[in-house]
């Protein structure tokens, strides 16, 4: 899974009929220090995530493994809202650079 | 499968129900010589790897198999902790 922040919503009336009823959110990928990266996906929301929230999303065929997205043309799904993350194994190079 | 190192943990109370009680960890993918290989990802851990440990993990929809649920939106899961790596010649 990948860390991201919900930055917007996509509405679409003319779409594959299997997607009727799905909620699409735009997710911007984040580094583990929450700095934004230049990578975005449109993901189906399966947990009620709101704009601004830090989430996890799964991609590829795994995204179809929910009751909401089963047999639907979906390859990205938001499946968790992140409370907290803790990096306990620090990056040696960064530490040296930081000193 | 690929090699990786567990570098931390992540908590999420609000998540897809099949993920209840599943531990998720932060993982740095590694090359065979244990150098970093791309950006960190989040993986499900049913094995119980500790921080700093080198593991091997699977991706794509097979990542659901170690979990005892039939369907879950998971695309990466730890499947083993590495004891040692022996490379003949590359």
């Amino acid at each position: 899974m990948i860390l991201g922040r919900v930055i917007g919503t996509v509405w679409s009336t003319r779409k594959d009929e299997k997607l009727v009823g799905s909620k699409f959110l735009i997710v911007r990928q984040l580094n583990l220090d929450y700095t934004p990266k230049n990578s975005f996906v449109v993901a189906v929301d399966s947990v009620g995530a709101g704009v601004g929230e830090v989430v996890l999303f799964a991609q590829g065929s795994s995204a179809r493994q929910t009751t909401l997205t089963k047999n639907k043309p979906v390859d990205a799904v938001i499946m968790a809202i992140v409370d907290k993350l803790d990096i306990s194994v620090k990056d040696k190079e960064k530490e040296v650079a930081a000193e | 499968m690929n090699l990786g190192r567990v570098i931390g943990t992540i908590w999420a109370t609000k998540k897809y129900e099949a993920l209840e009680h599943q531990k998720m960890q932060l993982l740095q993918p590694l090359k065979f010589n244990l150098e970093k290989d791309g950006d960190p990802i989040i993986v499900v851990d049913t094995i119980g790897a500790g921080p700093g440990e080198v593991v091997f993990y699977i991706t794509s929809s097979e990542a659901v198999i170690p979990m005892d649920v039939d369907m879950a939106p998971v695309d990466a899961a730890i499947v083993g902790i590495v004891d040692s790596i022996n490379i003949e010649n590359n």
Side-chain angles (χ1 to χ4, degrees), chain A residues 37-51:
Chain A
K37 296 177 69 149
N38 248 337
S39 152
F40 303 80
V41 286
V42 176
V44 167
D45 175 26
S46 79
V47 282
V51 173

Side-chain angles (χ1 to χ4, degrees), chain A residues 10-79:
Chain A
V10 169
W11 289 279
S12 161
T13 39
R14 277 187 57 220
K15 57 194 172 205
D16 184 300
E17 77 276 359
K18 295 193 192 67
L19 293 179
V20 170
S22 295
K23 185 177 157 205
F24 304 106
L25 296 177
I26 304 176
V27 183
R28 180 171 198 172
Q29 192 174 331
L30 297 178
N31 292 302
L32 293 188
D33 58 5
Y34 289 92
T35 52
K37 296 177 69 149
N38 248 337
S39 152
F40 303 80
V41 286
V42 176
V44 167
D45 175 26
S46 79
V47 282
V51 173
E53 287 194 297
V54 175
V55 296
L56 291 182
F57 60 94
Q59 293 181 298
S61 49
S62 307
R64 284 187 289 107
Q65 305 232 358
T66 75
T67 46
L68 288 169
T69 56
K70 198 167 194 288
N71 302 326
K72 292 189 178 173
V74 169
D75 66 357
V77 67
I78 294 168
M79 28 61 79

Side-chain angles (χ1 to χ4, degrees), chain B residues 3 8 11-12 17-18 25 31 33-34 36 39 42-45 56 58 61-63 66 72 75-77 79 81:
Chain B
L3 289 174
W11 293 270
E17 65 274 4
Q25 305 252 42
K31 296 182 185 139
N33 55 11
L34 303 188
K36 281 167 62 170
D39 295 328
I42 286 91
V43 294
V44 163
D45 178 12
F56 57 104
I58 54 174
S61 50
E62 285 71 24
D75 61 12
V79 287
I81 298 173

